[in-house]
């Protein structure tokens, strides 16, 4: 097996790993944004418990959905990841403010952000060149 073949095989595995990781994050974020946009009682209750007015829930869901759409479009995926990072940072700040449990609630948006950026890193060779990881 030549080194070129290993690179292609490694790239193919990385591409699929990135798609799977990204798919997990996207599925969660689609669910989260849609229950907010539809103002389901669980989303309204959860948001008001975090200190947000019920009237803001659908707007928050729309913002999340727009960021997510930008992330899933290949040409705008980096912009979408940056915007989702900001959105998820706000979620972390909210959980810190209300004193949510650290591992299960406060850090959960960070886990989602790691999935988003890890998936993008595995799928996008330009991003890998921009942010090379040293071994």
């Amino acid at each position: 097996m030549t080194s070129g073949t290993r690179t292609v095989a490694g790239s193919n595995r990385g591409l699929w790993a990135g798609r799977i990781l990204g798919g997990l994050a996207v599925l969660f974020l689609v669910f989260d944004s849609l229950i907010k946009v539809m103002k389901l009682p669980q989303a309204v209750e959860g948001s008001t418990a975090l200190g947000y007015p019920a009237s803001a829930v659908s707007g928050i869901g729309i913002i999340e959905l727009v960021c997510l759409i930008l992330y899933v479009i290949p040409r705008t995926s980096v912009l979408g990841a940056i915007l989702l990072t900001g959105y998820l940072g706000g979620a972390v700040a909210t959980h810190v403010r209300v004193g949510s449990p650290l591992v299960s609630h406060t850090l959960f948006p960070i886990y989602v952000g790691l999935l988003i950026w890890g998936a993008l890193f595995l799928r996008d060779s330009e991003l890998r060149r921009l942010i090379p990881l040293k071994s």
Side-chain angles (χ1 to χ4, degrees):
M1 186 180 260
T2 65
S3 63
T5 305
R6 284 188 209 133
T7 304
V8 171
S11 296
N12 196 28
R13 279 191 299 257
L15 177 65
W16 277 102
R19 287 176 179 167
I20 291 168
L21 290 176
L24 291 172
V26 167
L27 285 175
F28 169 75
L29 293 171
V30 163
F31 172 77
D32 187 56
S33 63
L34 290 180
I35 67 169
K36 288 179 175 128
V37 169
M38 294 186 301
K39 289 185 112 174
L40 293 183
Q42 298 86 344
V44 174
E45 289 171 20
S47 296
T48 55
L50 292 171
Y52 292 102
S55 61
V57 175
S58 62
I60 292 169
I62 290 169
I63 290 169
E64 182 181 9
L65 195 56
V66 168
C67 295
L68 186 59
I69 289 168
L70 289 171
Y71 176 72
V72 298
I73 298 170
R75 293 183 79 120
T76 59
S77 59
V78 173
L79 174 61
I82 291 168
L83 294 173
L84 283 169
T85 301
Y87 177 85
L88 294 168
V92 170
T94 297
H95 283 289
V96 167
R97 183 180 53 78
V98 299
S100 295
L102 179 67
V103 175
S104 62
H105 290 69
T106 304
L107 294 180
F108 188 78
I110 293 175
Y111 307 148
V112 175
L114 288 172
L115 283 175
I116 288 168
W117 280 103
L120 194 56
F121 187 83
L122 290 169
R123 292 190 326 249
D124 191 333
S125 61
E126 291 181 36
L127 184 60
R128 286 193 304 275
R129 280 196 297 275
L130 182 63
I131 307 171
L133 296 179
K134 306 288 181 180
S135 58

